[in-house]
Amino acid sequence: MKTLPIVFASALLLAATTSTSAQATTDKNHEVAETLAQKAQASSLGFDIVESLTVEVGPRLAGSAQDKVAVDWAMAKLTGLGFDKVYKEPVTVPVWHRGIARASIKSPFPQPMVVTALGGSIATPEGGISAPVVRFDSLDALNQAPADSMKGKIAFIDAKTERHRDGAGYGKTAGGRSRGAVAASEKGALAIIIRSIGTDHDRMAHTGMMRYKDGVEPIPAAAISNPDADLINAMLKRDPSVVVSLELGSERRGEATSYNVIAEVSGSSKAEEIVLIGAHLDSWDEGTGAIDDGAGVAIVTAAAKHILDLSQKPARTIRVVLYAAEEVGLVGGKAYASAHEAELAKHYIAAESDFGAGRIYQIDWRVSDSAHQSMVAAMAVSETLGVVAGNNKASGGPDVSMLPALGVPVASLRQDGSDYFDYHHTPNDTLDKIDPEALAQNVAVYAQFAWMMANSDVALRPLPAKE
């Protein structure tokens, strides 16, 4: 057997020692992560937080009086939990008032309908609008209608939302809500109604943000419940002329100041680097904002609190960001990215919880290709919680979705959203829809994620090119 050169032998010894040391560090962090999961699952903290938010604040539409109450609640809650830093950053948000919403079928068979104004919609003229409806299967179908073909009529987009665990059906139909009013106006319509973007059969209408376009006449926009959309279809089979009456009292009221509310668990050896876990504090005004996104607020806050209570500090700072005005256009997320532009290079990774309280089943990443498998290995600790490895194409969640373009790695902790769009943006978004055990599992996984990321030695940049 040949004798290895001394330098080469030393290099091998150093590599072996380094590998052993890295494995020991990983194992130690896994042990802490397992302890965090046990504490989180045995604790009611997450549920206590979302209960507090829904009971003591309730609906909190951006720019409303209750939005201010929510900010005060968050500041007091985070301070009371003992975070190392608690502060808020101003965000300019649009103010919109819902007002009345009424709709009915006038002919051929008069019946009332359940309706809600879409967020940002203008009002109808006083007394409302009555006109025949013209049905379209999709936004694309409306876009293909002949010019001026909708004069004196109400457009009706009748796109059904498919049920998927990952919420994929929502992306296929939400365009009709956000862009339908522009398309209908370009064809000469007086107003637009849409089948609710929801997977339920309840007679509840789903609200959500819509938008206008400069140079295109704004028209009133509303959503009707899924059973009422079925009712219109049944009538159209009997008579091609179905006349609908719509009255909205919506009003745009300029701008106001809200806040991103932020809390931190200070890091030790790498305190200037940040692991961001976020959720959005605002909600729509018809439910109590329990699953959207009180659950997310509770998940990330409780996860960070469990780490705060450890006897040892994480290496990196863990930053909890409760974003303002997500529902009306990711306003808080954009404001955060702008305000923290100078320190984004110090953001190690970011993730947002904004998909209810269903159990986390998979973690997707957007990190350098060379780091992906290391991240999968780091989070193997969550396998006992039912979490499997995913892909390297994550967006991170709505309010952090703009960060990858700015170089920040993100992760998506995928929740089971099979029934999320049954309740999303309706009066039915209430506390009873949250399973405390499923919520606790979310807290456990987020705590493990934040801890493992705060102590990781793996370089996550540069990000792969977007496909």
Side-chain angles (χ1 to χ4, degrees):
M1 179 178 177
K2 289 185 177 181
T3 303
L4 292 172
I6 294 175
V7 173
F8 184 41
S10 298
L12 285 179
L13 179 60
L14 176 62
T17 303
T18 301
S19 176
T20 301
S21 176
Q23 183 61 47
T25 300
T26 300
D27 289 346
K28 183 177 180 181
N29 284 327
H30 276 185
E31 289 176 9
V32 176
E34 289 169 355
T35 298
L36 283 168
Q38 292 168 5
K39 289 183 176 180
Q41 291 185 296
S43 170
S44 65
L45 178 60
F47 193 82
D48 292 344
I49 291 171
V50 68
E51 181 188 44
S52 173
L53 178 57
T54 57
V55 172
E56 297 163 26
V57 181
R60 45 200 182 275
L61 184 63
S64 67
Q66 285 305 106
D67 184 29
K68 296 178 181 178
V69 174
V71 169
D72 290 344
W73 172 90
M75 290 292 293
K77 182 65 68 177
L78 295 169
T79 300
L81 289 170
F83 282 95
D84 296 324
K85 292 182 182 178
V86 178
Y87 54 102
K88 61 183 181 180
E89 298 177 343
V91 179
T92 300
V93 303
V95 181
W96 178 77
H97 176 69
R98 179 173 301 280
I100 63 167
R102 302 188 184 104
S104 63
I105 298 170
K106 306 302 288 185
S107 67
F109 310 108
Q111 290 200 41
M113 295 193 294
V114 174
V115 65
T116 189
L118 294 180
S121 175
I122 63 169
T124 60
E126 189 173 352
I129 295 169
S130 290
V133 297
V134 179
R135 179 189 175 279
F136 297 93
D137 285 328
S138 64
L139 174 63
D140 286 343
L142 173 56
N143 281 324
Q144 292 167 18
D148 298 329
S149 61
M150 292 298 297
K151 281 190 173 181
K153 298 173 183 176
I154 296 173
F156 167 41
I157 296 181
D158 186 32
K160 293 184 177 180
T161 302
E162 299 170 352
R163 187 184 298 277
H164 293 279
R165 181 167 70 162
D166 64 356
Y170 179 74
K172 297 177 182 179
T173 54
R177 185 192 71 206
S178 60
R179 304 191 300 274
V182 171
S185 179
E186 288 175 334
K187 306 301 180 182
L190 297 172
I192 184 170
I193 57 175
I194 66 167
R195 176 188 284 270
S196 279
I197 311 300
T199 50
D200 60 302
H201 299 286
D202 295 324
R203 205 174 191 189
M204 287 192 177
H206 297 238
T207 190
M209 197 63 183
M210 54 78 59
R211 292 171 180 81
Y212 294 118
K213 181 179 177 181
D214 290 344
V216 178
E217 183 72 20
I219 60 174
I224 59 174
S225 74
N226 286 318
D228 286 305
D230 294 339
L231 183 62
I232 289 178
N233 280 316
M235 289 195 187
L236 285 171
K237 291 178 181 178
R238 292 164 169 78
D239 188 326
S241 180
V242 173
V243 176
V244 165
S245 174
L246 176 67
E247 183 177 8
L248 302 181
S250 310
E251 183 182 359
R252 293 185 167 206
R253 295 180 174 177
E255 295 179 332
T257 299
S258 187
Y259 296 88
N260 288 335
V261 182
I262 301 171
E264 293 182 358
V265 179
S266 298
S268 54
S269 60
K270 301 177 182 179
E272 75 284 358
E273 297 184 25
I274 297 158
V275 172
L276 188 159
I277 52 175
H280 67 85
L281 185 57
D282 66 309
S283 77
W284 283 106
D285 52 327
E286 297 196 300
T288 61
I291 64 168
D292 188 18
D293 185 28
V297 169
I299 289 163
V300 298
T301 301
K305 170 61 174 172
H306 287 305
I307 293 173
L308 180 68
D309 288 344
L310 292 172
S311 59
Q312 59 198 106
K313 286 283 190 180
R316 294 183 177 87
T317 294
I318 296 170
R319 180 176 291 174
V320 175
V321 183
L322 306 184
Y323 292 98
E326 184 273 346
E327 297 291 5
V328 295
L330 310 182
V331 181
K334 294 171 184 176
Y336 179 90
S338 177
H340 294 267
E341 181 179 7
E343 68 168 358
L344 290 182
K346 295 293 186 180
H347 281 57
Y348 183 72
I349 197 166
E352 180 179 12
S353 177
D354 182 20
F355 198 45
R359 291 176 183 272
I360 295 171
Y361 63 89
Q362 178 174 305
I363 301 179
D364 294 339
W365 305 87
R366 187 159 181 77
V367 298
S368 69
D369 288 330
S370 61
H372 182 217
Q373 286 307 310
S374 294
M375 293 298 96
V376 170
M379 287 308 298
V381 68
S382 294
E383 289 178 357
T384 57
L385 297 172
V387 182
V388 301
N391 59 47
N392 198 28
K393 302 176 182 179
S395 68
D399 289 297
V400 303
S401 62
M402 64 287 298
L403 296 183
L406 300 173
V408 179
V410 297
S412 294
L413 282 63
R414 301 289 186 190
Q415 296 164 287
D416 187 334
S418 298
D419 65 352
Y420 180 71
F421 291 108
D422 289 354
Y423 313 118
H424 178 254
H425 294 181
T426 73
N428 221 3
D429 179 2
T430 49
L431 184 65
D432 58 297
K433 309 308 183 301
I434 295 176
D435 174 359
E437 291 186 2
L439 186 73
Q441 186 257 12
N442 275 260
V443 175
V445 178
Y446 262 91
Q448 292 185 326
F449 169 81
W451 177 259
M452 294 303 298
M453 295 303 98
N455 294 286
S456 171
D457 292 325
V458 180
L460 303 186
R461 305 184 191 211
L463 303 188
K466 187 173 182 180
E467 295 181 358

